Amino acid sequence: MTAGPAAATRPHNRKQLIVEAAGQVFSERGYHAASMEEIAAGVGISAAALYRHFPNKYALFAECANVMVDRLVAALDEAPPETSLADLLAALIRVTVAHRASGGLYRWEARYLDRDDRRLLRAKFAQVVDRVTEVVRREHPMPGERLRAVAALGAIGSVTMHHTTIAQRRLEELLLESAMRVVATDPSATPGSAGLVELPAQPVPRTRRAEILAAAIPLFARDGFANVTNGQIAQAVGLAPSAIYRHYPGKVDILVAACLQAAGLLTQAVDRSLGQAGGPRETVVALTAAYVAYSFEHNALNSVAEAEIRGLPADLRRPLLVAQREHIAVWEQQLRSARPELDPRQARLLAHAGFGVVVEAGRALRWQDTPGNRDAVTALVTGALTI
């Protein structure tokens, strides 16, 4: 008996193709918004065929989360112990760039893994950090070896969080230059400019609507928007769940209010930093210090805005994306003033590398908001920007 056409043309690496397609969907849409049907369509198979490889969406998500870090670990395992830091980081960059479309799920979506799976993933990433830290210590012995290693990996991983297009060779060169400058930066040797930044204060809740928003933000940041119920928000404020609807039509409207608040506070912080700066280099340093201070002081709010915007309906997401683009445009303009050799895309790429440093270094410091931590991260970001 001969096999049918479908069997004859079925690719031998279908499971790998599914994981690649799913990683991109999870990265772009978020875990909860992604559907098995959408993933199956991306591979050109039916949902029923997809379930023959993975029993449910969570199993597929967990597989996607492990594939990328396994590739990073494998790249390091292939490198001999005497490999230089530049070659080691270049190997990680090649893997990250090759799988750029699916890498974004790590920054925010990995929180939806079960505790055991999350612990396993952290252990694998710790292997990567340990190996890079070892070589950083060997080639650049100064304080904060692990923090500098984490920050350099944040600069590299930032490429998974945006869509700026640039020739691959130049992209890899810029990421390597940025990461190498980060590890060569002494985070303890910067002046205390970040600790002196004056930020706009987060509004004090004076109305029931503001109280609901203030209560929802830490819940969204900790558990993810999709996992938080109106009942939990109401309980945090001391209301009946039905009372929420007197102030917000639905939970998504609370999320939109949080994102708008984050955008407004960031815009004010940027405006203040630009108003106090001097020359081009000083302006970039002031902008960096303001962004770092904002990220530490409003960490829960910022993480909600960054993590959840992709899950908003298109009409609600549009004004927030406009605000994001305007913020990036400020960085692009100021970076090009300080580094005229950069074209717009290169400047945007480096700005995102700086944002990646803030996220990963901030996490490594557990977002403990002290002037010393702000200054250290500010120094590492200016290194990433090669200022």
Side-chain angles (χ1 to χ4, degrees):
M1 182 175 178
T2 59
T9 58
R10 180 180 300 150
H12 68 280
N13 62 338
R14 173 161 287 174
K15 187 172 183 179
Q16 179 184 342
L17 295 175
I18 291 170
V19 171
E20 291 289 344
Q24 184 169 351
V25 174
F26 287 135
S27 181
E28 290 289 333
R29 308 250 300 132
Y31 172 64
H32 287 282
S35 70
M36 294 292 268
E37 290 74 17
E38 182 180 7
I39 294 167
V43 188
I45 61 176
S46 66
L50 180 57
Y51 282 108
R52 284 198 289 270
H53 295 276
F54 295 95
N56 52 52
K57 186 170 76 167
Y58 179 82
L60 177 54
F61 178 66
E63 179 75 10
C64 291
N66 278 282
V67 162
M68 181 72 159
V69 69
D70 286 342
R71 287 169 175 149
L72 295 174
V73 171
L76 294 181
D77 287 344
E78 292 173 2
E82 66 276 9
T83 301
S84 70
L85 181 60
D87 287 343
L88 201 67
L89 294 178
L92 296 176
I93 288 169
R94 285 192 294 271
V95 172
T96 304
V97 171
H99 303 282
R100 179 182 183 181
S102 57
L105 68 88
Y106 290 104
R107 180 166 291 178
W108 307 116
E109 298 305 305
R111 62 188 162 165
Y112 292 119
L113 290 170
D114 292 344
R115 181 176 297 177
D116 289 343
D117 288 333
R118 194 161 57 244
R119 187 180 297 119
L120 175 63
L121 192 69
R122 285 174 177 166
K124 291 178 179 179
F125 272 115
Q127 286 181 254
V128 176
V129 174
D130 288 345
R131 178 68 187 280
V132 175
T133 300
E134 177 186 337
V135 186
V136 168
R137 183 179 296 116
R138 184 179 73 209
E139 295 192 14
H140 298 281
M142 66 179 84
E145 294 97 339
R146 191 172 186 85
L147 180 63
R148 288 183 283 131
V150 168
L153 293 171
I156 293 169
S158 68
V159 75
T160 66
M161 300 302 296
H162 61 92
H163 301 287
T164 302
T165 56
I166 188 172
Q168 182 171 330
R169 181 175 177 180
R170 183 58 179 145
L171 185 153
E172 293 180 0
E173 288 174 349
L174 281 170
L175 288 178
L176 181 58
E177 176 188 17
S178 181
M180 288 295 289
R181 286 291 297 269
V182 169
V183 298
T185 298
D186 183 352
S188 66
T190 190
S193 57
L196 301 176
V197 173
E198 285 190 24
L199 290 175
Q202 193 161 337
V204 176
R206 301 187 187 279
T207 65
R208 186 64 81 182
R209 179 181 170 88
E211 288 176 354
I212 292 169
L213 177 60
I217 288 168
L219 294 176
F220 292 159
R222 186 189 68 192
D223 300 328
F225 171 75
N227 289 341
V228 176
T229 67
N230 275 352
Q232 291 173 303
I233 299 171
Q235 183 180 19
V237 186
L239 293 175
S242 59
I244 295 285
Y245 296 103
R246 297 187 201 131
H247 306 279
Y248 291 95
K251 189 176 69 166
V252 72
D253 299 285
I254 304 176
L255 175 59
V256 171
C259 292
L260 289 172
Q261 186 179 98
L265 289 170
L266 181 56
T267 298
Q268 292 177 54
V270 168
D271 288 346
R272 289 188 184 187
S273 71
L274 296 180
Q276 298 170 359
R281 183 187 181 281
E282 291 74 19
T283 299
V284 173
V285 173
L287 183 61
T288 300
Y291 184 80
V292 169
Y294 162 83
S295 298
F296 272 86
E297 189 159 325
H298 303 299
N299 173 246
L301 177 65
N302 186 49
S303 68
V304 168
E306 292 287 342
E308 305 293 355
I309 187 173
R310 73 189 67 189
L312 289 173
D315 59 326
L316 299 177
R317 188 170 65 244
R318 194 170 297 112
L320 299 170
L321 292 176
V322 169
Q324 282 187 348
R325 283 194 290 269
E326 289 175 348
H327 180 237
I328 292 293
V330 172
W331 282 86
E332 177 189 319
Q333 178 184 358
Q334 300 305 327
L335 268 174
R336 295 189 68 204
S337 294
R339 295 188 57 189
E341 78 278 10
L342 296 175
D343 67 28
R345 293 181 180 183
Q346 293 168 354
R348 287 198 297 274
L349 182 80
L350 286 179
H352 282 289
F355 302 157
V357 169
V358 175
V359 171
E360 297 306 329
R363 284 176 172 174
L365 294 168
R366 299 185 182 276
W367 296 110
Q368 295 176 4
D369 192 7
T370 66
N373 284 349
R374 289 186 183 186
D375 288 335
V377 178
T378 298
L380 294 171
V381 175
T382 55
L385 301 176
T386 62
I387 297 297

